[in-house]
Amino acid sequence: MSRSERKWDHIRYALDNRKHHASAFDDIKFIHQGLPNIGVFDVGLDHEIGGLYLSSPIFINAMTGGGGEKTYRINKELAIVAKNTGLTMAVGSQMAALKDKTQKYTYEIVRKENPKGVIIANLGSEASPDDAKAAIEMVEANALQIHLNVIQELTMPEGDRNFSGALKRIESIVKELTVPVIVKEVGFGMAKETVHSLSSIGVKVVDVGGSGGTNFAEIENKRREKSLSFFNQWGIPTGVSILEATSVSNHLSIIGSGGFMSAHDIAKGIAIGADAVGMAGYFLKILVKDGIETLQKEIEILHEELKMIMTALGTKTVSDLKNAPLIISGETYHWLNQRGIDTKQFAQRTNK
Ligand code: FNR
């Protein structure tokens, strides 16, 4: 199967991929504040992350490009939505265009449609510093994502089998680039050990890409004759992974992604440590099923609802929301307890 056909397979199967894991966000509850002492108009959603200034903490996470006309169209439409809503947007892995120059146009359209927006380039951990520079140049990117997708590759019939040297390669990219480098997972989460290793080589922004949303084990298993079904339940739930990452260092910026579909979960993700929240599968489904205008409306609603929640909590900024008191219970509490991550700090802090 060609790389182009595989790109389209991913989109087709992602559209069918349903969320069915219990979400760690159900274990997180905000503590109601009866005297928030602010109004909705006091709330601002802009936030700085790893040197990037974002007008919203929500962004369109990496999805596509490199699969000919169909992926060109999706990237063009996502770029229009990003421009009209002010959202940052990441493109899908650009390795396809580095290997086959005729695919470059499927990514370049994102910058053409949105000349002033914040755009993030994307490559896998097999990339060299020269690949990274070429990917950034292709879309005049403001930052680069490097994705870690071991479980996806192992499940993919034609996937990689050797993951040696990834940390060293990422280190050389971080050293050579002048734009921020974001290392991301694609739906299996990051443990604190992984985040610690990344931090030790100079990575300043991680996107935990936890489980609970688009499931690339399920997607790749559909493309296999003999399913590796044990990988379908693999991974660290997004909420847990944000908390694992938060426990590593105050100097890291953390992005939460994997299964976000509501303003309430976005607010919880930020409150437990995320500086921004990436959404992929949910936005793709709305775009493909209902079109650009419906997706734009949905993003406006998410922004309005997020402001309502922040008002209720008395938090005027994303930084204030990161200090809102909350309770962590259930399986998430037990996980964190076993991992030596203190949960009381979240319940006893104050944003006043
Ligand atoms: C993705 N994702 C992805 N990530 C990446 O770093 N490079 C890529 O090329 C792709 N390709 C891709 C294609 C499609 C169709 C989807 C739906 C997703 C992963 C994505 O950025 C994100 O990490 C996961 O999808 C989890 O987030 P959601 O979908 O649960 O919001």
Side-chain angles (χ1 to χ4, degrees):
M1 170 175 285
S2 72
R3 193 182 280 264
S4 278
E5 284 166 330
R6 188 168 82 223
K7 298 277 171 188
W8 183 243
D9 262 9
H10 285 163
I11 291 170
R12 268 193 319 123
Y13 289 128
L15 291 172
D16 263 1
N17 198 230
R18 302 220 185 290
K19 177 174 169 162
H20 46 67
H21 293 293
S23 162
F25 292 113
D26 296 341
D27 291 336
I28 293 165
K29 296 219 157 42
F30 284 119
I31 300 172
H32 170 62
Q33 305 295 319
L35 288 169
N37 202 31
I38 62 166
V40 176
F41 298 110
D42 294 321
V43 175
L45 295 179
D46 55 313
H47 193 54
E48 193 266 340
I49 166 165
L52 293 176
Y53 178 78
L54 310 187
S55 64
S56 161
I58 302 170
F59 75 100
I60 303 172
N61 218 343
M63 279 184 273
T64 201
E69 270 312 293
K70 287 173 180 164
T71 57
Y72 165 84
R73 178 144 294 280
I74 290 174
N75 266 347
K76 181 181 165 90
E77 292 183 355
L78 287 172
I80 292 169
V81 171
K83 182 178 172 210
N84 292 344
T85 56
L87 292 200
T88 295
M89 171 180 168
V91 296
S93 177
Q94 291 163 266
M95 196 47 91
L98 297 185
K99 296 215 157 127
D100 173 2
K101 302 274 183 274
T102 66
Q103 292 297 325
K104 277 172 77 176
Y105 80 104
T106 65
Y107 302 93
E108 286 165 344
I109 185 63
V110 172
R111 179 51 83 194
K112 266 193 204 136
E113 286 294 344
N114 191 7
K116 298 209 173 86
V118 180
I119 293 172
I120 308 178
N122 185 291
L123 284 173
S125 61
E126 74 280 15
S128 67
D130 283 346
D131 293 335
K133 285 175 197 161
I136 290 165
E137 198 189 334
M138 198 185 302
V139 291
E140 295 163 54
N142 307 84
L144 170 75
Q145 288 179 330
I146 299 180
H147 63 260
L148 308 178
N149 66 340
V150 172
I151 301 299
Q152 181 186 8
E153 292 291 344
L154 287 173
T155 317
M156 202 188 294
E158 67 276 39
D160 291 343
R161 295 292 178 265
N162 179 4
F163 306 98
S164 317
L167 196 63
K168 269 258 155 291
R169 285 191 295 278
I170 295 171
E171 183 175 17
S172 59
I173 288 177
V174 171
K175 287 216 168 97
E176 284 206 29
L177 290 194
T178 49
V179 300
V181 175
I182 303 165
V183 180
K184 76 182 282 275
E185 245 289 349
V186 301
F188 301 92
M190 280 189 200
K192 60 180 176 175
E193 293 81 358
T194 308
V195 176
H196 191 269
S197 299
L198 292 169
S199 169
S200 75
I201 56 153
V203 172
K204 302 240 167 10
V205 189
V206 294
D207 175 345
V208 300
S211 70
T214 305
N215 184 333
F216 271 99
E218 282 184 5
I219 291 172
E220 298 298 350
N221 267 326
K222 288 206 175 123
R223 303 176 57 244
R224 285 182 74 88
E225 258 172 47
K226 165 94 178 70
S227 170
L228 304 180
S229 55
F230 43 86
F231 282 147
N232 289 347
Q233 309 296 322
W234 201 271
I236 307 173
T238 298
V240 174
S241 193
I242 294 171
L243 287 154
E244 290 250 348
T246 306
S247 74
V248 172
S249 159
N250 289 336
H251 302 297
L252 271 173
S253 295
I254 293 161
I255 295 173
S257 73
F260 281 98
M261 301 200 299
S262 74
H264 197 191
D265 282 356
I266 293 168
K268 289 178 182 180
I270 294 170
I272 58 173
D275 291 282
V277 164
M279 296 169 76
Y282 181 62
F283 283 167
L284 182 69
K285 280 178 205 173
I286 296 174
L287 180 73
V288 172
K289 199 166 150 273
D290 299 315
I292 291 180
E293 275 173 23
T294 309
L295 179 53
Q296 283 174 186
K297 184 84 202 138
E298 173 62 15
I299 292 166
E300 277 165 28
I301 291 170
L302 287 173
H303 282 156
E304 276 165 27
E305 291 180 353
L306 189 55
K307 284 187 178 174
M308 302 269 201
I309 293 166
M310 289 170 71
T311 305
L313 294 169
T315 56
K316 285 186 189 173
T317 63
V318 170
S319 298
D320 289 348
L321 178 58
K322 288 182 76 180
N323 282 313
L326 52 88
I327 299 289
I328 301 172
S329 61
E331 256 186 60
T332 306
Y333 168 78
H334 288 296
W335 175 300
L336 297 169
N337 216 6
Q338 297 273 314
R339 298 276 287 161
I341 298 170
D342 174 34
T343 52
K344 270 203 190 126
Q345 57 176 313
F346 296 94
Q348 297 180 2
R349 68 192 182 181
T350 167
N351 57 353
K352 295 282 174 266

